[in-house]
Coordinates of all heavy atoms in Angstrom, one line a residue:
M1 N -1.1 13.3 -1.4 CA -0.4 12.1 -1.8 C -1.3 11.2 -2.6 O -2.5 11.0 -2.3 CB 0.1 11.4 -0.6 CG 0.6 10.0 -0.8 SD 1.3 9.3 0.7 CE 3.0 9.5 0.5
K2 N -0.7 10.7 -3.7 CA -1.4 9.7 -4.5 C -0.7 8.4 -4.5 O 0.6 8.4 -4.7 CB -1.5 10.2 -6.0 CG -2.3 9.4 -6.9 CD -3.7 9.9 -7.0 CE -4.4 9.1 -8.2 NZ -5.8 9.1 -8.0
V3 N -1.4 7.3 -4.2 CA -0.7 6.0 -4.0 C -1.1 5.1 -5.2 O -2.3 5.1 -5.6 CB -1.2 5.4 -2.7 CG1 -0.5 4.0 -2.5 CG2 -0.9 6.3 -1.5
F4 N -0.1 4.3 -5.6 CA -0.3 3.3 -6.7 C 0.2 1.9 -6.2 O 1.1 1.9 -5.5 CB 0.5 3.7 -7.9 CG 0.2 5.1 -8.4 CD1 0.9 6.2 -7.9 CD2 -0.8 5.4 -9.3 CE1 0.7 7.5 -8.3 CE2 -1.1 6.7 -9.7 CZ -0.3 7.8 -9.2
I5 N -0.5 0.9 -6.7 CA -0.1 -0.5 -6.4 C 0.0 -1.3 -7.7 O -0.8 -1.0 -8.6 CB -0.9 -1.2 -5.4 CG1 -2.4 -1.3 -5.8 CG2 -0.8 -0.6 -4.0 CD1 -3.3 -2.1 -4.9
D6 N 0.8 -2.3 -7.8 CA 0.9 -3.2 -8.9 C 0.6 -4.6 -8.3 O 1.5 -5.3 -7.9 CB 2.3 -3.1 -9.6 CG 2.4 -4.1 -10.8 OD1 1.4 -4.8 -11.0 OD2 3.4 -4.0 -11.5
Q7 N -0.7 -4.9 -8.4 CA -1.1 -6.2 -7.8 C -0.4 -7.4 -8.4 O -0.3 -8.4 -7.7 CB -2.6 -6.4 -7.9 CG -3.4 -5.4 -7.0 CD -4.9 -5.6 -7.1 OE1 -5.4 -5.7 -8.2 NE2 -5.6 -5.6 -6.0
D8 N 0.0 -7.3 -9.7 CA 0.6 -8.4 -10.3 C 2.0 -8.8 -9.7 O 2.4 -10.0 -9.8 CB 0.9 -8.1 -11.8 CG -0.4 -8.0 -12.6 OD1 -1.4 -8.5 -12.1 OD2 -0.4 -7.4 -13.7
K9 N 2.6 -7.9 -9.0 CA 3.9 -8.1 -8.3 C 3.7 -8.6 -6.9 O 4.7 -9.0 -6.2 CB 4.8 -6.9 -8.4 CG 5.1 -6.5 -9.8 CD 6.3 -5.6 -9.9 CE 6.1 -4.3 -9.2 NZ 7.1 -3.3 -9.5
C10 N 2.5 -8.4 -6.3 CA 2.3 -8.7 -4.8 C 2.6 -10.1 -4.5 O 2.1 -11.0 -5.2 CB 0.9 -8.2 -4.5 SG 0.5 -8.5 -2.7
V11 N 3.3 -10.3 -3.4 CA 3.5 -11.7 -2.9 C 2.7 -12.0 -1.6 O 3.0 -13.0 -0.9 CB 5.0 -12.0 -2.7 CG1 5.8 -11.9 -4.0 CG2 5.6 -11.0 -1.6
A12 N 1.7 -11.1 -1.3 CA 0.8 -11.4 -0.2 C 1.4 -11.6 1.1 O 0.9 -12.4 1.9 CB -0.1 -12.6 -0.6
C13 N 2.4 -10.8 1.4 CA 3.1 -11.0 2.7 C 2.4 -10.2 3.9 O 2.7 -10.5 5.0 CB 4.6 -10.6 2.6 SG 4.7 -8.8 2.3
G14 N 1.7 -9.2 3.6 CA 1.0 -8.5 4.6 C 1.7 -7.3 5.3 O 1.2 -6.7 6.2
Q15 N 3.0 -7.1 4.9 CA 3.8 -6.0 5.5 C 3.1 -4.7 5.4 O 3.2 -3.8 6.3 CB 5.2 -6.0 4.9 CG 6.0 -7.3 5.1 CD 6.5 -7.4 6.6 OE1 6.5 -6.4 7.3 NE2 6.9 -8.6 6.9
C16 N 2.6 -4.4 4.2 CA 2.0 -3.1 4.0 C 0.8 -2.8 4.9 O 0.6 -1.7 5.4 CB 1.5 -2.9 2.5 SG 0.4 -4.2 2.0
V17 N 0.0 -3.9 5.1 CA -1.2 -3.7 6.0 C -0.7 -3.5 7.5 O -1.4 -2.7 8.2 CB -2.1 -5.0 5.9 CG1 -3.3 -4.9 6.8 CG2 -2.5 -5.2 4.5
A18 N 0.4 -4.1 7.9 CA 0.9 -3.9 9.2 C 1.4 -2.4 9.3 O 1.2 -1.8 10.4 CB 2.0 -4.8 9.5
S19 N 1.9 -1.8 8.3 CA 2.4 -0.5 8.3 C 1.3 0.6 8.2 O 1.4 1.6 8.8 CB 3.5 -0.3 7.2 OG 4.6 -1.1 7.4
A20 N 0.4 0.3 7.3 CA -0.7 1.3 7.0 C -2.0 0.7 6.8 O -2.5 0.6 5.7 CB -0.3 2.1 5.8
P21 N -2.6 0.2 7.9 CA -3.9 -0.5 7.8 C -5.1 0.3 7.3 O -6.1 -0.3 6.9 CB -4.1 -1.1 9.2 CG -3.4 -0.1 10.1 CD -2.2 0.3 9.3
E22 N -4.9 1.6 7.3 CA -6.0 2.5 6.8 C -5.9 2.7 5.3 O -6.9 3.2 4.7 CB -6.1 3.8 7.6 CG -6.4 3.6 9.1 CD -6.5 5.0 9.8 OE1 -6.7 6.0 9.2 OE2 -6.2 5.0 11.0
V23 N -4.8 2.3 4.8 CA -4.6 2.6 3.3 C -4.6 1.2 2.5 O -5.0 1.2 1.4 CB -3.3 3.3 3.1 CG1 -3.0 3.6 1.6 CG2 -3.3 4.6 3.9
F24 N -4.1 0.2 3.2 CA -3.9 -1.1 2.5 C -4.7 -2.2 3.2 O -4.8 -2.2 4.4 CB -2.5 -1.5 2.4 CG -1.6 -0.5 1.7 CD1 -0.8 0.3 2.5 CD2 -1.6 -0.3 0.3 CE1 0.0 1.3 1.9 CE2 -0.8 0.6 -0.3 CZ 0.0 1.4 0.5
D25 N -5.2 -3.1 2.4 CA -5.9 -4.4 2.9 C -5.4 -5.5 2.1 O -4.7 -5.3 1.1 CB -7.4 -4.2 3.0 CG -8.0 -5.2 3.9 OD1 -7.3 -6.1 4.5 OD2 -9.3 -5.2 4.0
Q26 N -5.8 -6.7 2.4 CA -5.5 -7.9 1.6 C -6.8 -8.6 1.2 O -7.7 -8.7 2.0 CB -4.6 -8.9 2.4 CG -3.2 -8.3 2.6 CD -2.4 -9.3 3.5 OE1 -2.5 -9.2 4.7 NE2 -1.7 -10.2 2.9
R27 N -6.8 -9.1 0.0 CA -8.0 -9.9 -0.4 C -8.1 -11.1 0.4 O -7.2 -11.8 0.7 CB -7.9 -10.3 -1.9 CG -7.9 -9.1 -2.9 CD -8.2 -9.6 -4.3 NE -7.2 -10.5 -4.8 CZ -6.6 -10.4 -6.1 NH1 -6.9 -9.4 -6.9 NH2 -5.8 -11.3 -6.5
D28 N -9.4 -11.4 0.8 CA -9.6 -12.6 1.6 C -9.2 -13.9 0.9 O -8.6 -14.8 1.6 CB -11.1 -12.7 1.9 CG -11.6 -11.6 2.9 OD1 -10.7 -11.1 3.6 OD2 -12.8 -11.4 2.9
E29 N -9.4 -14.0 -0.4 CA -9.1 -15.3 -1.0 C -7.7 -15.6 -1.2 O -7.3 -16.8 -1.2 CB -9.9 -15.4 -2.4 CG -9.5 -14.3 -3.4 CD -10.3 -13.1 -3.3 OE1 -10.7 -12.7 -2.2 OE2 -10.5 -12.4 -4.4
D30 N -6.8 -14.6 -1.5 CA -5.4 -14.9 -1.8 C -4.4 -14.0 -1.1 O -3.2 -14.2 -1.3 CB -5.2 -15.0 -3.3 CG -5.6 -13.6 -4.0 OD1 -5.8 -12.7 -3.2 OD2 -5.6 -13.6 -5.2
G31 N -4.8 -13.1 -0.4 CA -3.9 -12.2 0.4 C -3.3 -11.1 -0.4 O -2.4 -10.4 0.1
I32 N -3.7 -11.0 -1.7 CA -3.1 -9.9 -2.5 C -3.6 -8.5 -2.1 O -4.7 -8.4 -1.6 CB -3.5 -10.1 -4.0 CG1 -2.9 -11.4 -4.6 CG2 -3.0 -9.0 -4.9 CD1 -1.4 -11.5 -4.5
V33 N -2.7 -7.6 -2.2 CA -3.0 -6.2 -1.6 C -4.2 -5.6 -2.3 O -4.4 -5.8 -3.5 CB -1.7 -5.4 -1.7 CG1 -1.3 -5.1 -3.2 CG2 -1.9 -4.0 -1.0
V34 N -4.9 -4.8 -1.6 CA -6.0 -4.0 -2.1 C -5.8 -2.6 -1.5 O -5.4 -2.4 -0.4 CB -7.4 -4.5 -1.5 CG1 -8.5 -3.6 -2.0 CG2 -7.6 -5.9 -2.0
L35 N -5.9 -1.6 -2.4 CA -5.7 -0.2 -2.0 C -7.1 0.4 -1.5 O -8.0 0.4 -2.3 CB -5.2 0.6 -3.2 CG -4.8 2.0 -3.0 CD1 -3.8 2.2 -2.0 CD2 -4.4 2.7 -4.3
L36 N -7.1 0.7 -0.3 CA -8.3 1.2 0.3 C -8.5 2.7 0.1 O -9.7 3.2 0.0 CB -8.3 1.0 1.9 CG -8.3 -0.5 2.3 CD1 -8.2 -0.5 3.9 CD2 -9.5 -1.2 1.9
D37 N -7.4 3.4 0.0 CA -7.5 4.9 -0.1 C -6.4 5.4 -1.1 O -5.2 5.4 -0.7 CB -7.4 5.5 1.2 CG -7.6 7.0 1.2 OD1 -7.7 7.6 0.1 OD2 -7.7 7.6 2.3
E38 N -6.7 5.7 -2.3 CA -5.6 6.1 -3.3 C -5.1 7.5 -3.1 O -4.1 7.9 -3.6 CB -6.1 5.9 -4.7 CG -7.3 6.8 -5.1 CD -7.7 6.6 -6.5 OE1 -7.4 5.6 -7.1 OE2 -8.3 7.6 -7.1
S39 N -5.9 8.3 -2.3 CA -5.4 9.6 -1.9 C -5.5 9.9 -0.4 O -6.4 10.6 0.1 CB -6.3 10.7 -2.7 OG -6.2 10.5 -4.1
P40 N -4.7 9.2 0.3 CA -4.7 9.3 1.8 C -4.4 10.7 2.3 O -3.6 11.4 1.7 CB -3.7 8.2 2.3 CG -2.8 8.1 1.1 CD -3.6 8.3 -0.1
P41 N -4.9 11.0 3.5 CA -4.6 12.3 4.1 C -3.2 12.4 4.5 O -2.5 11.4 4.7 CB -5.6 12.4 5.3 CG -5.9 11.0 5.6 CD -5.8 10.2 4.3
A42 N -2.7 13.6 4.7 CA -1.3 13.9 5.1 C -0.8 13.1 6.3 O 0.3 12.7 6.3 CB -1.1 15.4 5.3
E43 N -1.7 12.9 7.2 CA -1.3 12.2 8.4 C -0.9 10.7 8.2 O -0.3 10.0 9.0 CB -2.3 12.3 9.6 CG -3.6 11.7 9.3 CD -4.6 12.8 8.8 OE1 -4.2 13.8 8.2 OE2 -5.8 12.6 9.0
Q44 N -1.3 10.2 7.0 CA -1.0 8.8 6.6 C 0.3 8.7 5.8 O 0.8 7.6 5.5 CB -2.1 8.2 5.8 CG -3.4 7.9 6.6 CD -3.1 6.8 7.6 OE1 -2.4 5.8 7.3 NE2 -3.7 6.9 8.7
E45 N 0.9 9.9 5.5 CA 2.1 9.8 4.6 C 3.2 9.0 5.2 O 3.9 8.2 4.5 CB 2.6 11.3 4.4 CG 3.8 11.3 3.4 CD 4.2 12.7 3.0 OE1 3.3 13.6 2.9 OE2 5.4 12.9 2.8
F46 N 3.5 9.2 6.5 CA 4.6 8.4 7.1 C 4.3 6.9 7.0 O 5.2 6.1 6.6 CB 4.7 8.7 8.6 CG 5.8 7.9 9.3 CD1 7.1 8.3 9.3 CD2 5.4 6.8 10.0 CE1 8.1 7.6 10.0 CE2 6.4 6.0 10.6 CZ 7.7 6.4 10.6
N47 N 3.1 6.5 7.2 CA 2.7 5.1 7.2 C 2.8 4.5 5.7 O 3.3 3.4 5.5 CB 1.3 4.8 7.7 CG 1.2 5.1 9.2 OD1 2.2 5.2 9.9 ND2 0.0 5.3 9.6
V48 N 2.4 5.3 4.8 CA 2.5 4.9 3.4 C 4.0 4.8 2.9 O 4.4 3.8 2.3 CB 1.8 5.9 2.4 CG1 2.1 5.5 1.0 CG2 0.3 5.8 2.7
R49 N 4.8 5.7 3.3 CA 6.2 5.6 3.0 C 6.8 4.4 3.6 O 7.7 3.7 3.0 CB 6.9 6.9 3.5 CG 6.7 8.1 2.7 CD 7.4 9.4 3.2 NE 7.1 10.5 2.4 CZ 7.8 10.9 1.4 NH1 8.8 10.1 1.0 NH2 7.6 11.9 0.7
D50 N 6.4 4.1 4.9 CA 6.9 2.9 5.5 C 6.5 1.7 4.8 O 7.3 0.7 4.6 CB 6.4 2.9 7.0 CG 7.1 1.8 7.8 OD1 8.3 1.7 7.8 OD2 6.4 1.0 8.4
A51 N 5.2 1.6 4.4 CA 4.7 0.4 3.7 C 5.5 0.2 2.4 O 5.8 -0.9 2.1 CB 3.2 0.6 3.4
A52 N 5.7 1.3 1.7 CA 6.5 1.2 0.4 C 7.9 0.7 0.7 O 8.4 -0.1 -0.1 CB 6.5 2.5 -0.3
A53 N 8.5 1.1 1.8 CA 9.9 0.8 2.1 C 10.0 -0.7 2.5 O 11.0 -1.4 2.2 CB 10.4 1.7 3.2
V54 N 9.0 -1.2 3.2 CA 9.1 -2.6 3.7 C 8.5 -3.6 2.7 O 8.8 -4.8 2.9 CB 8.4 -2.8 5.1 CG1 9.0 -1.9 6.1 CG2 6.9 -2.6 5.0
C55 N 7.8 -3.2 1.7 CA 7.3 -4.1 0.7 C 8.4 -4.8 0.0 O 9.2 -4.2 -0.7 CB 6.4 -3.4 -0.3 SG 5.8 -4.5 -1.6
P56 N 8.5 -6.2 0.1 CA 9.6 -6.9 -0.5 C 9.5 -7.0 -2.1 O 10.5 -7.3 -2.7 CB 9.5 -8.3 0.1 CG 8.0 -8.4 0.4 CD 7.5 -7.1 0.8
A57 N 8.4 -6.7 -2.6 CA 8.2 -6.8 -4.1 C 8.1 -5.5 -4.8 O 7.8 -5.4 -6.0 CB 7.0 -7.7 -4.3
L58 N 8.3 -4.4 -4.1 CA 8.3 -3.0 -4.7 C 6.9 -2.8 -5.4 O 6.9 -2.2 -6.5 CB 9.4 -2.8 -5.7 CG 10.8 -3.0 -5.0 CD1 11.9 -2.9 -6.1 CD2 11.1 -2.1 -3.9
V59 N 5.9 -3.2 -4.8 CA 4.5 -3.0 -5.3 C 4.0 -1.6 -5.2 O 3.2 -1.2 -6.0 CB 3.6 -4.0 -4.6 CG1 2.1 -3.8 -4.9 CG2 4.0 -5.5 -4.9
I60 N 4.4 -0.9 -4.1 CA 3.8 0.4 -3.8 C 4.6 1.5 -4.2 O 5.8 1.6 -3.9 CB 3.6 0.4 -2.2 CG1 2.7 -0.7 -1.8 CG2 3.0 1.8 -1.8 CD1 2.8 -1.0 -0.3
T61 N 4.0 2.5 -4.9 CA 4.7 3.7 -5.3 C 3.7 4.9 -5.0 O 2.5 4.6 -4.7 CB 5.1 3.8 -6.8 OG1 3.9 3.5 -7.6 CG2 6.1 2.7 -7.1
F62 N 4.3 6.1 -4.9 CA 3.4 7.2 -4.6 C 4.1 8.5 -5.1 O 5.2 8.5 -5.5 CB 3.3 7.3 -3.1 CG 4.6 7.4 -2.3 CD1 5.2 8.6 -2.1 CD2 5.1 6.2 -1.8 CE1 6.4 8.7 -1.5 CE2 6.3 6.3 -1.1 CZ 7.0 7.5 -0.9
R63 N 3.2 9.5 -5.3 CA 3.8 10.8 -5.6 C 3.0 11.8 -4.8 O 1.8 11.6 -4.4 CB 3.7 11.1 -7.1 CG 2.3 11.1 -7.8 CD 2.5 11.5 -9.2 NE 1.4 11.0 -10.1 CZ 0.2 11.5 -10.2 NH1 -0.1 12.5 -9.4 NH2 -0.7 11.0 -11.0
Q64 N 3.6 13.0 -4.7 CA 2.9 14.0 -3.9 C 1.9 14.8 -4.7 O 2.0 14.8 -5.9 CB 4.0 15.0 -3.4 CG 5.0 14.4 -2.4 CD 4.3 13.9 -1.1 OE1 3.3 14.4 -0.7 NE2 4.9 12.9 -0.5
Ligands
SF4_1 S1 3.9 -5.6 1.4 FE1 4.0 -5.6 -0.8 S2 4.1 -7.8 -1.4 FE2 3.4 -7.7 0.8 S3 1.1 -7.7 0.7 FE3 1.8 -5.5 0.7 S4 1.9 -5.0 -1.5 FE4 1.9 -7.2 -1.4

């Protein structure tokens, strides 16, 4: 799985970090999302899908 983020659209809500803390983090200064792992292992797929689904700004996309 390959994960992509569009930081320009992020509203710093933290939902993605709650869903997949091993893949996403937030910048200390403004809370904007940071991608920790652009190619997460298969066991993270559920969490990444959940993060993409709950993100209110449609920041997160992925492909297999
Ligand atoms: S859930 Fe979306 S809008 Fe919220 S911090 Fe994560 S990427 Fe940004």
Side-chain angles (χ1 to χ4, degrees):
M1 165 179 262
K2 184 95 169 156
V3 181
F4 306 89
I5 57 171
D6 183 350
Q7 287 180 317
D8 292 341
K9 296 195 299 189
C10 180
V11 296
C13 69
Q15 295 286 346
C16 57
V17 180
S19 294
E22 294 182 26
V23 180
F24 304 102
D25 198 359
Q26 290 175 274
R27 293 197 301 227
D28 289 338
E29 62 269 30
D30 57 10
I32 297 299
V33 66
V34 175
L35 187 57
L36 298 176
D37 188 350
E38 64 179 21
S39 300
E43 60 264 28
Q44 286 294 322
E45 181 173 330
F46 177 86
N47 292 344
V48 171
R49 287 179 179 275
D50 188 54
V54 299
C55 175
L58 304 177
V59 171
I60 300 163
T61 56
F62 55 85
R63 63 175 154 79
Q64 295 297 332

